[in-house]
Amino acid sequence: MDKRILAIFDCEESYAYRLMEFISEKLNHPFEIYVFTDRNKFFSCARIKDIECLLISETAYKQDVEAVKIPHIIILSESGENLNKDLHHINKYQSCENIFHEVMEYYTDQSGIVPGRLRTGTKKMRIIGIYTPVGRCLQTTFSLTLGQMLARHHKTLYLNFEIYSGFARMLGRNTDSDISDLMYYFSCAREKLSYRMESMVETVNGLDFIPPAEIHQNLTGVRGHQWLDLFQEIEQASEYEYMILDLSDGILDLWDVLRGCDCIYTITRQDSLAVAKMEQYEKALERLDYGDIAAKSKKWRLPIFKELPLRFEELTYGELAGYIKENIFPDLLEEDGKHQ
């Protein structure tokens, strides 16, 4: 499939190539990227190539650019004084990540048809479900640490289903969309899912994630089979090798989602209340014909760690990371070998 052309036109050469390099590292965008710092070279190329989308700095923009008839022109705003208010503007002086998100959101919304994306690799995406009926046993810390460590060598996506995750505060960043928006777009325009995802995906220490629902009630009514359909579509339209689901009782049809996982890790504790909760959980699974979930669940009783990193970006350092490397990774690789 031929990619469409995204042109970056900015006389500031270092900026233009830095933005190009960042976008080029993203796997699911629909573009072949051209960079121009010279006006004559831009027009020479535009006469023989069909440019689908143009990112042009405010200082480089002149009205003659519109004569090229490029479907989507986005101005990288510097002073905010560009006279053509009919064109879409993006603040030039922000992170490449934010610029890319805004470009993909705008392009996906404005394009009637985007080329479909198909997985190029043959390896199946492995879904790791992490769930426990026992509270306060480091499930999310464990999930994020495992995800970041996997992401060092494998393209990994992390999804959090806590009712109150606190992610925005912990990461010190606000996002415009979250997993509830992803499900909405999946329901309305499945063919654009991979590109819509690119406008939502955030990264922490190499691990991709879709921000958790800021208002969990927005997920009310989403059934288990809909989540599984979404996961399957993500597999088909991306290159992710692992998906980590940090699950909670707040998700509807939780057990159906767990059944759809390739492997399940259940963190527990040794106190009598934790043991009683696990026993009740496993009995309920058996009585309601979900015994296969218990069968493929691995229970892990984590040791007491003297100190845990306070920031998400530092989780791959310290005792928990060492424990995962020594104990979880051999188990995970053994399971992967069975399914190859």
Side-chain angles (χ1 to χ4, degrees):
M1 178 188 70
D2 292 332
K3 285 194 170 187
R4 303 178 182 190
I5 295 176
L6 167 68
I8 301 171
F9 183 6
D10 193 321
C11 298
E12 190 179 339
E13 185 174 334
S14 61
Y15 177 92
Y17 279 97
R18 185 171 69 251
L19 183 57
M20 180 202 72
E21 289 171 0
F22 179 87
I23 297 177
S24 297
E25 291 176 355
K26 299 292 184 178
L27 295 178
N28 287 327
H29 66 78
F31 301 117
E32 180 180 0
I33 306 169
Y34 288 21
V35 170
F36 300 97
T37 57
D38 179 85
R39 196 169 196 80
N40 292 329
K41 290 182 179 179
F42 166 73
F43 282 105
S44 296
C45 178
R47 282 194 290 268
I48 60 175
K49 295 281 189 179
D50 293 326
I51 297 175
E52 173 75 6
C53 186
L54 171 65
L55 287 178
I56 182 168
S57 67
E58 185 179 302
T59 51
Y61 171 79
K62 299 289 186 292
Q63 280 196 324
D64 56 357
V65 170
E66 295 179 46
V68 181
K69 303 298 181 184
I70 296 171
H72 307 284
I73 299 177
I74 300 173
I75 293 179
L76 295 168
S77 181
E78 297 162 322
S79 67
E81 297 177 357
N82 189 282
L83 296 179
N84 192 338
K85 302 302 181 184
D86 293 330
L87 297 178
H88 189 69
H89 288 62
I90 291 176
N91 179 14
K92 176 179 176 178
Y93 300 113
Q94 58 179 324
S95 68
C96 292
E97 184 82 54
N98 287 345
I99 290 175
F100 180 66
H101 283 183
E102 291 192 41
V103 169
M104 292 305 300
E105 181 176 8
Y106 170 78
Y107 179 70
T108 308
D109 286 342
Q110 296 297 316
S111 299
I113 300 175
V114 295
R117 295 285 298 170
L118 293 175
R119 190 178 187 87
T120 58
T122 57
K123 186 178 179 181
K124 182 180 182 296
M125 182 181 74
R126 300 273 291 154
I127 300 179
I128 302 173
I130 303 177
Y131 169 76
T132 179
V134 180
R136 299 192 63 80
C137 57
L138 301 180
Q139 176 175 306
T140 293
T141 305
F142 173 88
S143 302
L144 282 167
T145 306
L146 175 63
Q148 290 181 34
M149 294 176 71
L150 274 174
R152 289 175 173 174
H153 304 287
H154 306 278
K155 190 160 177 60
T156 305
L157 179 67
Y158 168 85
L159 301 178
N160 180 292
F161 292 90
E162 289 181 284
I163 296 177
Y164 300 107
S165 68
F167 261 48
R169 181 181 177 88
M170 289 297 294
L171 289 170
R173 50 175 115 156
N174 294 314
T175 56
D176 295 326
S177 54
D178 58 40
I179 195 169
S180 63
D181 298 298
L182 183 66
M183 177 54 79
Y184 170 79
Y185 288 116
F186 172 63
S187 302
C188 297
R190 179 181 295 212
E191 71 281 359
K192 295 184 178 182
L193 178 73
S194 62
Y195 305 125
R196 175 59 65 179
M197 274 186 61
E198 288 290 357
S199 72
M200 297 181 179
V201 168
E202 300 280 338
T203 304
V204 55
N205 198 19
L207 174 65
D208 285 356
F209 69 95
I210 304 292
E214 190 67 22
I215 301 174
H216 195 269
Q217 283 78 1
N218 290 340
L219 298 178
T220 301
V222 180
R223 307 302 306 235
H225 69 86
Q226 293 174 282
W227 288 118
L228 295 175
D229 285 346
L230 173 63
F231 303 155
Q232 184 178 44
E233 188 68 24
I234 290 174
E235 177 183 21
Q236 293 173 353
S238 75
E239 301 299 326
Y240 287 113
E241 298 173 71
Y242 289 94
M243 176 186 289
I244 294 181
L245 306 180
D246 189 353
L247 296 163
S248 77
D249 293 310
I251 186 172
L252 198 60
D253 299 332
L254 168 65
W255 292 355
D256 290 328
V257 174
L258 283 170
R259 177 172 273 170
C261 297
D262 294 295
C263 64
I264 301 166
Y265 290 142
T266 297
I267 314 300
T268 187
R269 300 198 308 258
Q270 62 183 359
D271 61 90
S272 57
L273 181 58
V275 172
K277 286 185 175 184
M278 281 301 306
E279 183 178 298
Q280 181 182 353
Y281 167 62
E282 291 175 340
K283 283 182 178 178
L285 290 175
E286 194 65 38
R287 288 175 183 175
L288 295 175
D289 295 325
Y290 283 89
D292 55 309
I293 292 176
K296 63 179 174 181
S297 295
K298 302 287 184 73
K299 287 189 283 189
W300 292 93
R301 185 177 298 163
L302 301 179
I304 296 175
F305 301 112
K306 294 180 181 178
E307 187 176 2
L308 292 169
L310 296 177
R311 301 176 64 229
F312 285 171
E313 297 89 339
E314 300 171 348
L315 288 174
T316 52
Y317 303 97
E319 295 175 277
L320 176 57
Y323 179 87
I324 289 175
K325 182 178 180 180
E326 183 177 346
N327 298 278
I328 308 299
F329 270 14
D331 176 78
L332 183 61
L333 293 175
E334 180 181 352
E335 286 296 314
D336 285 352
K338 294 176 183 179
H339 291 83
Q340 287 180 353

